């Protein structure tokens, strides 16, 4: 069964970027500290990253995050989603209009202009097709940004919430949860490492 998993790194004070994020500035001032765990040599951090990549049949992201990862200081062969792991899934971008060009042409991009629910439906179809081809259950991963995950959360589209809680206080930036509709979560897993606390919740 294909699940919709919201998966994002967050600071102790609830921010998913530092101030002033963008294509030229990445995750904003101090924001890169949120992802220290993803480049760690800690075996538990590596396992979390490897297992997350392995279960990804398709990945959904918002246009602002796409502009960051496709920007001049964004992903490359060594730092992109799944780089050095088992493979790369299809990527589905929620946007009002497709970009004129894409720098990361080696990845499978689909641009959906009719809203987040349609993007999730498109990603589910891609994940289910990948599941059929691979013979194993694969999921849709909502990787962000914060507004995309928050909107999906509010719309009841999220089955599982995975937070990578970084030991950093940013003070300001892009908040993950602001004025969100109440949701009940059931904690399923906690993996503490030197660089993050990896938390997994079922969303009821």
């Amino acid at each position: 069964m294909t699940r919709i998993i919201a998966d994002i790194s967050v600071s102790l004070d609830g921010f998913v970027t530092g101030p002033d994020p963008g294509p030229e500035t990445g995750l904003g001032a101090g924001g890169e500290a949120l992802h220290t765990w993803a480049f760690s040599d800690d075996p538990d951090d590596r396992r979390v990253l490897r297992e997350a990549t392995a279960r990804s049949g398709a990945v959904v992201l918002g246009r602002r995050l796409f502009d960051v990862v496709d920007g001049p200081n964004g992903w490359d062969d060594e730092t992109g989603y799944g780089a050095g792991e088992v493979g790369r899934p299809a990527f589905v971008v929620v946007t009002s209009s497709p970009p004129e060009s894409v720098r990361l042409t080696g990845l499978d991009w689909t641009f959906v202009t009719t809203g987040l629910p349609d993007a999730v439906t498109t990603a589910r179809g891609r994940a289910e097709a990948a599941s059929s081809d691979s013979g194993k259950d694969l999921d849709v991963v909502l990787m962000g940004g914060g507004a995309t995950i928050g909107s999906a959360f509010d719309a009841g589209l999220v089955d599982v919430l995975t937070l990578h809680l970084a030991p950093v206080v940013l003070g300001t930036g892009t908040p993950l949860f602001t004025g969100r509709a109440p949701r009940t979560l059931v904690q399923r897993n906690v993996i503490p490492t030197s660089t993050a606390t990896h938390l997994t919740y079922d969303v009821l």
Side-chain angles (χ1 to χ4, degrees):
M1 179 179 176
T2 298
R3 302 171 299 170
I4 311 300
I5 300 175
D7 187 309
I8 195 165
S9 298
V10 61
S11 69
L12 290 174
D13 51 347
F15 295 103
V16 296
T17 76
D20 301 320
E24 299 294 334
T25 55
L27 293 173
E32 295 302 327
L34 298 171
H35 295 277
T36 299
W37 72 270
F39 303 97
S40 165
D41 291 328
D42 185 294
D44 286 329
D45 285 328
R46 302 309 305 168
R47 177 169 58 85
V48 167
L49 184 64
R50 182 174 61 253
E51 291 177 354
T53 304
R55 73 169 183 254
S56 301
V59 174
V60 176
L61 61 158
R63 178 57 185 269
R64 288 183 182 177
L65 181 56
F66 167 78
D67 287 341
V68 170
V69 303
D70 195 54
N73 300 314
W75 290 351
D76 56 33
D77 290 340
E78 296 180 357
T79 61
Y81 190 99
E85 299 298 335
V86 296
R88 298 202 178 183
F91 294 92
V92 178
V93 180
V94 188
T95 182
S96 59
S97 61
E100 294 182 2
S101 62
V102 175
R103 179 178 64 86
L104 297 168
T105 55
L107 300 180
D108 180 354
W109 297 105
T110 299
F111 298 91
V112 175
T113 60
T114 51
L116 179 59
D118 285 347
V120 170
T121 297
T122 297
R124 186 190 294 274
R126 298 298 300 274
E128 289 174 348
S131 296
S132 179
D133 290 342
S134 67
K136 60 182 180 180
D137 290 335
L138 298 174
D139 298 316
V140 173
V141 176
L142 306 179
M143 67 170 286
T148 298
I149 286 181
S151 296
F153 202 79
D154 287 348
L157 298 173
V158 177
D159 299 315
V160 177
L161 175 64
T162 298
L163 299 178
H164 309 284
L165 186 63
V168 60
V169 174
L170 293 175
T172 186
T174 305
L176 178 56
F177 295 118
T178 301
R180 299 298 177 194
R183 293 285 177 187
T184 299
L185 308 180
V186 177
Q187 185 169 286
R188 293 303 186 195
N189 196 26
V190 179
I191 302 174
T193 73
S194 62
T195 59
T197 302
H198 306 284
L199 303 162
T200 301
Y201 302 91
D202 287 342
V203 182
L204 303 184

